[in-house]
Amino acid sequence: MADVGFNQLCNWLRFRHLVLIATLARTQNMHTTAQEMNISQPAVSKMLREVEKLLGFALFQRLPRHMPPTDLGSQVARYAQIALNDAQHFVGQINHLRQGGHGLLKIGTIFAPTALALPAAIVKVKQQWPLLTLDILEGTSANLLERLEHKQLDLVIARFTLDQHRKLFDFQALAPEPLCLVTGSQHPLAGAHDVPLEELGSWPWIVYPAGTPMRARLEQAFAEAGMQTPGNTVETSSMQTTLQLLQTAPMVAMLGESMVAPDIQAGRLTRLALPFPFVLADYGIITRRNETPGWSAQAFMDALSNNIETPETAPQVGR
């Protein structure tokens, strides 16, 4: 089987072929793909045969009820989706610029930076480029890094969750994240001193989903104490849900200090005293490796780096 030539691929492959590959990989059904692309099923079949002939291998298995990608087909579908996401971002940027704007910057962030660092950077960048559209998506590190890899985001403020991420992305540390244990102000443990970990384990907990750094740190704390992680749990990465549950039910949660400081100061939450510190690894700016960030991404990264150490000096938004 001969290798595919780059020039040959560029001269023949079209975006329509990429749409076909990505859509069929998602639907695994020829009829559904034809409907979504608004073409006939024979046309889909013909296009697929042409792509497979060019590449020299089958992209999809022909099974009676569905068409799952082959191993090589999965890789092709992945790159097809990345290319389409990149093209969609390009179109969005061009449209923003044509309309007199400064472009579009898509940023993913975990919750911790949203307390101080992120708002300060947003204000600074918007003061300099008011027509730059900032699209902020909040989520878990794992979810955000998957979107970054597929070019659905320009940069991410998060942590690595897998070793393979260190090969795909560059990381610029911003700040550590001290953690604390909190309850609602009406919780029976509120105001107690030196609460034993075994007593904490008997209460219902609100925890981050499995695989997140916050969840791993919680499990580590209980393991170091020779205990099982609490079994009575609610899993969520939603800060709003967590705060509502803490204030309305006798539950416990481990959260970043920056996340809960305003609620503790307002008396809505109570911080539990423990004899040992909780700290997560630094969160930071994560970008795709071997890809130079655009000017707007670089400007935002600079604003983050300059504000992270002195958030109290962040500019205020005027009326």
Side-chain angles (χ1 to χ4, degrees), residues 33 35 93 98 122 149 162 166 196 245 253 263 285 292:
T33 297
Q35 286 184 321
Q93 289 281 23
R98 288 184 61 187
I122 290 173
E149 181 184 1
L162 299 172
R166 303 180 189 279
L245 287 173
D263 293 278
I285 303 168
T292 303

Side-chain angles (χ1 to χ4, degrees), residues 213-266:
M214 194 84 78
R215 176 67 171 272
R217 185 64 187 90
L218 175 66
E219 293 174 347
Q220 179 186 350
F222 276 93
E224 289 172 350
M227 296 175 56
Q228 292 287 333
T229 305
N232 184 359
T233 61
V234 173
E235 292 191 10
T236 180
S237 58
S238 167
M239 190 61 183
Q240 183 175 3
T241 299
T242 299
L243 292 176
Q244 287 294 325
L245 287 173
L246 286 172
Q247 293 172 45
T248 57
M251 306 186 79
V252 181
M254 183 171 71
L255 299 167
E257 289 184 354
S258 61
M259 300 179 182
V260 295
D263 293 278
I264 292 175
Q265 293 172 3

Side-chain angles (χ1 to χ4, degrees), residues 149-229:
E149 181 184 1
H150 288 82
K151 297 197 172 185
Q152 294 173 314
L153 295 170
D154 296 304
L155 63 93
V156 160
I157 311 165
R159 298 180 183 85
F160 288 144
T161 57
L162 299 172
D163 287 339
Q164 69 187 50
H165 291 156
R166 303 180 189 279
K167 300 176 182 178
L168 295 173
F169 307 113
D170 290 326
F171 179 83
Q172 177 186 338
L174 287 176
E177 185 180 2
L179 304 176
C180 61
L181 290 178
V182 292
T183 65
S185 57
Q186 304 303 316
H187 195 288
L189 294 178
H193 297 285
D194 301 325
V195 180
L197 199 60
E198 56 268 20
E199 183 176 349
L200 282 174
S202 65
W203 290 95
W205 279 70
I206 308 165
V207 298
Y208 269 68
T212 59
M214 194 84 78
R215 176 67 171 272
R217 185 64 187 90
L218 175 66
E219 293 174 347
Q220 179 186 350
F222 276 93
E224 289 172 350
M227 296 175 56
Q228 292 287 333
T229 305

Side-chain angles (χ1 to χ4, degrees), residues 10-239:
C10 291
N11 290 335
W12 187 86
L13 197 64
R14 301 290 182 264
F15 275 101
R16 194 119 174 110
H17 298 121
L18 299 180
V19 173
L20 167 66
I21 295 167
T23 305
L24 189 53
R26 174 170 50 81
T27 66
Q28 298 189 13
N29 183 279
M30 190 84 74
H31 178 69
T32 304
T33 297
Q35 286 184 321
E36 291 194 13
M37 294 184 65
N38 198 28
I39 58 177
S40 68
Q41 187 168 326
V44 169
S45 181
K46 181 174 183 281
M47 287 175 63
L48 178 59
R49 288 197 304 270
E50 291 172 344
V51 175
E52 289 179 329
K53 181 179 179 180
L54 171 71
L55 296 177
F57 53 83
L59 297 176
F60 297 89
Q61 303 176 52
R62 272 65 167 179
L63 300 181
R65 296 184 179 275
H66 66 302
M67 296 180 62
T70 62
D71 290 342
L72 284 174
S74 295
Q75 292 299 315
V76 174
R78 173 177 171 271
Y79 282 105
Q81 189 60 64
I82 289 175
L84 291 172
N85 291 340
D86 203 19
Q88 186 176 34
H89 183 61
F90 166 74
V91 171
Q93 289 281 23
I94 290 298
N95 287 335
H96 274 278
L97 293 171
R98 288 184 61 187
Q99 294 166 11
H102 291 147
L104 171 66
L105 182 64
K106 295 186 176 182
I107 303 162
T109 181
I110 56 176
F111 191 84
T114 64
L116 291 171
L118 186 67
I122 290 173
V123 171
K124 184 174 182 179
V125 169
K126 290 295 286 184
Q127 285 178 337
Q128 292 180 285
W129 297 282
L131 298 183
L132 173 64
T133 299
L134 300 177
D135 185 354
I136 312 295
L137 173 68
E138 187 180 312
T140 62
S141 293
N143 177 262
L144 295 173
L145 290 176
E146 181 179 359
R147 288 175 174 270
L148 181 65
E149 181 184 1
H150 288 82
K151 297 197 172 185
Q152 294 173 314
L153 295 170
D154 296 304
L155 63 93
V156 160
I157 311 165
R159 298 180 183 85
F160 288 144
T161 57
L162 299 172
D163 287 339
Q164 69 187 50
H165 291 156
R166 303 180 189 279
K167 300 176 182 178
L168 295 173
F169 307 113
D170 290 326
F171 179 83
Q172 177 186 338
L174 287 176
E177 185 180 2
L179 304 176
C180 61
L181 290 178
V182 292
T183 65
S185 57
Q186 304 303 316
H187 195 288
L189 294 178
H193 297 285
D194 301 325
V195 180
L197 199 60
E198 56 268 20
E199 183 176 349
L200 282 174
S202 65
W203 290 95
W205 279 70
I206 308 165
V207 298
Y208 269 68
T212 59
M214 194 84 78
R215 176 67 171 272
R217 185 64 187 90
L218 175 66
E219 293 174 347
Q220 179 186 350
F222 276 93
E224 289 172 350
M227 296 175 56
Q228 292 287 333
T229 305
N232 184 359
T233 61
V234 173
E235 292 191 10
T236 180
S237 58
S238 167
M239 190 61 183

